[in-house]
Amino acid sequence: KSLHDQAAKIAKRVEYEKHFATRKNLLNDAVATLQMALELEGDALGHSHPLAASTLIQMGKYHYEMREFDSAVMEIHKAVQILRNALGGNHPQVGRALLLLASVYERQGPK
């Protein structure tokens, strides 16, 4: 939890930063912090736990904000798979994750 809080505090600073390069550096720091959290969650709860999916979604959001769409798609897609397996395909969290994934694809545009 504290790593999640730390990442959120780092990302919050992005709101006040006007320069893209500095924003990207802050978001990269937040992603690195969440990566540490993801590793700890995997060790403690397993890599297929819904909490790991939530962490992947947050990482995907940060990658989306940095315009790193391929990374965002990869993380959010993995989260969708975890949530589908853990909660079932009709769960609201699965639907929200799919909507986020669709938003990334829409912003990314055709390849």
Side-chain angles (χ1 to χ4, degrees):
K1 174 105 174 122
S2 66
L3 287 173
H4 285 267
D5 293 340
Q6 184 179 347
K9 285 178 186 174
I10 293 168
K12 184 81 172 154
R13 292 175 39 206
V14 170
E15 294 176 21
Y16 305 104
E17 184 55 55
K18 298 198 184 313
H19 295 85
F20 180 74
T22 305
R23 292 171 63 93
K24 190 170 182 173
N25 287 337
L26 288 168
L27 288 168
N28 274 324
D29 290 347
V31 168
T33 302
L34 288 174
Q35 183 63 46
M36 287 188 289
L38 185 64
E39 290 170 15
L40 290 172
E41 292 162 2
D43 291 344
L45 304 171
H47 295 285
S48 59
H49 193 277
L51 183 58
S54 296
T55 302
L56 285 165
I57 287 171
Q58 194 60 51
M59 291 169 67
K61 287 179 180 179
Y62 293 155
H63 280 290
Y64 173 86
E65 195 168 334
M66 291 187 284
R67 300 180 188 135
E68 296 174 354
F69 301 119
D70 289 340
S71 294
V73 165
M74 181 184 68
E75 289 158 349
I76 297 167
H77 187 268
K78 187 172 182 179
V80 167
Q81 290 175 320
I82 291 169
L83 291 171
R84 229 184 230 147
N85 290 336
L87 305 174
N90 292 326
H91 195 278
Q93 279 186 292
V94 175
R96 283 191 293 274
L98 285 169
L99 284 171
L100 179 60
L101 185 60
S103 295
V104 175
Y105 279 131
E106 181 179 41
R107 178 73 189 268
Q108 184 178 28
K111 284 199 162 200

